[in-house]
Amino acid sequence: PLLARSLIQQRKYHEVLKLDPGPGFSSEATAELLATRGLAYLLSGDSENAGRELDSAIRANPDSINALVELARLSVHLRDFDKARLYLDKAFETDPDYSLAWSLQGDLYRLENMPEAAIEAYTKAIENSHNKSRDLIQRARLYMQLAQYEQAQHDVDNLKKITPGHPEADFVQGLLYLAQNNSLEAQESLEHCLRKSPDHMLATYYLGVVHFTRGNMEQADRYLSSHMDDNPGSINGRKLLALVKLRLGDYISTENLIDPVVKSRPDDTIALNILADSMFYQGKIDELLPVLKESAAHQPDSASAQTRMGIGLLLQGEEEAAIDSLESAIEIDPGHKTSDMLLVLHYLHTQQYDKA
């Protein structure tokens, strides 16, 4: 079991799966090894086999705290939070100070958008663990979310003491600088991280964010493209890279990047707006209007969405519907000058001077 845990830390999941309980294993050791095999399957993306291994672990020893925690982890992965809580409650009955259980409890609260409760859970994990790094990172990020930057910096400083020179410390420091709008310091820390760990996918993403916020679109393009090469399923990476391509005038690439996001998340208004802009600049007017209507339907109280739809309707020659949309935008926000301007220009063009 100790060898299996060591291999897990090194991400040698296939090596873990080669380990089998021997005939002389105690029920406790058998359950621990099978639980670790289940974790290896889960981390390899095979939740079905993970479940089988963990069920075998519980059969070997129903009180195995490792098996209970890994079953809770699998339940979190499957978004069955109620079942995860049941397994964690059983684990705490066995050992109320078990750090891995508290760490997972923190993950569960974080996913349920309960940052204060998550911080308390990670604090318990830190107090009872020899390996505090992961929980310090998670707690620091939650402090950032709550804009408690002094506490976050305290956790980052502790992380640097525990793991001097480790790229993850530079990464979290970069996030903290970014949260405080210190983009130059954020860039420096993230570049330190990337030099030590060239395959750090999140460092490349956040360097893209830093350069985007500073208006350096070519550098943002380079980092975000690298991020997407390593992580093609990243929705946030895809959306931000599409926006960068839009700013660079590469409208075809923008559409190709953002279209899969819209298809998988039809209510993502940011993605819909990026797609609409790419179609507008390509002159795809017939395809533009349905996208604008979809975006406006998801934002009935947005003056900007109504204005954009009004523009699309004007381009299609549907003047009456366009006027309705633009007037709706003004009703929502009487100070929305773009809608006022468009109505003035339309009435001047159609020689309706009194209305203008």
Side-chain angles (χ1 to χ4, degrees):
L2 288 174
L3 175 59
R5 285 284 171 184
S6 173
L7 292 170
I8 284 283
Q9 294 296 323
Q10 299 172 67
R11 300 184 181 181
K12 295 180 179 179
Y13 308 134
H14 294 295
E15 294 297 315
V16 175
L17 298 176
K18 293 177 182 177
L19 302 176
D20 288 308
F25 270 45
S26 66
S27 61
E28 184 178 352
T30 298
E32 185 175 349
L33 179 55
L34 292 173
T36 309
R37 282 171 54 93
L39 177 59
Y41 274 122
L42 180 60
L43 295 173
S44 301
D46 187 347
S47 56
E48 186 174 344
N49 274 318
R52 291 196 186 99
E53 290 290 314
L54 294 170
D55 287 341
S56 297
I58 284 293
R59 283 196 297 271
N61 181 7
D63 297 323
S64 169
I65 193 166
N66 289 311
L68 289 168
V69 169
E70 298 312 336
L71 278 165
R73 193 185 312 279
L74 175 62
S75 299
V76 170
H77 174 75
L78 298 174
R79 313 295 289 188
D80 190 343
F81 296 158
D82 289 338
K83 184 178 284 187
R85 266 187 288 271
L86 289 174
Y87 286 128
L88 285 172
D89 287 344
K90 290 180 181 178
F92 288 130
E93 288 174 9
T94 302
D95 183 354
D97 295 324
Y98 191 55
S99 62
L100 290 178
W102 280 112
S103 182
L104 188 57
Q105 182 88 288
D107 293 346
L108 183 56
Y109 284 136
R110 177 172 51 81
L111 290 169
E112 293 180 312
N113 198 27
M114 300 169 65
E116 291 89 354
I119 285 171
E120 290 182 14
Y122 287 130
T123 299
K124 289 284 289 185
I126 291 164
E127 290 171 352
N128 292 285
S129 175
H130 295 296
N131 183 8
K132 309 175 189 295
S133 302
R134 179 189 181 277
D135 298 306
L136 281 170
I137 291 168
Q138 296 298 338
R139 191 172 70 174
R141 296 188 72 168
L142 287 167
Y143 281 136
M144 291 180 218
Q145 181 182 329
L146 297 173
Q148 297 177 12
Y149 300 128
E150 187 175 340
Q151 293 94 321
Q153 186 64 63
H154 180 71
D155 278 352
V156 172
D157 291 340
N158 281 334
L159 184 63
K160 290 176 181 178
K161 291 176 186 175
I162 294 169
T163 58
H166 196 282
E168 208 62 29
D170 292 315
F171 173 68
V172 182
Q173 182 68 78
L175 293 188
L176 181 53
Y177 282 137
L178 186 59
Q180 297 174 91
N181 297 316
N182 297 328
S183 61
L184 284 173
E185 293 89 342
Q187 179 182 338
E188 184 178 352
S189 291
L190 291 167
E191 286 175 348
H192 279 312
C193 171
L194 210 55
R195 278 195 290 271
K196 296 172 185 175
S197 178
D199 297 327
H200 199 297
M201 290 186 295
L202 287 176
T204 56
Y205 170 74
Y206 282 104
L207 275 166
V209 172
V210 167
H211 284 292
F212 177 80
T213 58
R214 294 173 61 195
N216 301 329
M217 294 302 148
E218 289 79 7
Q219 292 93 324
D221 186 5
R222 178 165 62 88
Y223 281 114
L224 290 167
S225 295
S226 174
H227 172 73
M228 291 305 301
D229 287 343
D230 295 330
N231 190 21
S234 170
I235 296 294
N236 288 336
R238 187 174 286 273
K239 286 166 66 174
L240 187 54
L241 181 57
L243 196 53
V244 168
K245 296 289 189 185
L246 186 68
R247 298 280 177 87
L248 291 172
D250 188 351
Y251 307 125
I252 294 174
S253 293
T254 302
E255 182 179 356
N256 291 338
L257 280 162
I258 206 66
D259 189 56
V261 178
V262 171
K263 287 177 178 174
S264 64
R265 297 183 175 185
D267 59 345
D268 189 326
T269 54
I270 294 175
L272 284 165
N273 290 339
I274 295 171
L275 179 61
D277 285 347
S278 72
M279 289 177 170
F280 175 80
Y281 288 114
Q282 291 178 78
K284 294 184 174 182
I285 305 305
D286 292 339
E287 298 174 52
L288 171 63
L289 189 56
V291 177
L292 292 174
K293 287 181 177 178
E294 187 72 19
S295 178
H298 290 297
Q299 305 173 89
D301 297 325
S302 168
S304 294
Q306 293 296 328
T307 301
R308 289 163 67 89
M309 187 165 71
I311 293 170
L313 289 165
L314 283 173
L315 291 170
Q316 286 284 75
E318 300 181 28
E319 295 182 2
E320 188 174 339
I323 291 169
D324 287 341
S325 288
L326 294 172
E327 288 180 344
S328 294
I330 295 169
E331 287 177 11
I332 294 167
D333 179 6
H336 201 268
K337 296 179 180 178
T338 304
S339 297
D340 277 327
M341 180 193 71
L342 289 168
L343 283 170
V344 169
L345 291 173
H346 171 71
Y347 288 135
L348 286 173
H349 178 69
T350 55
Q351 298 182 358
Q352 298 180 66
Y353 301 120
D354 290 342
K355 289 184 177 181

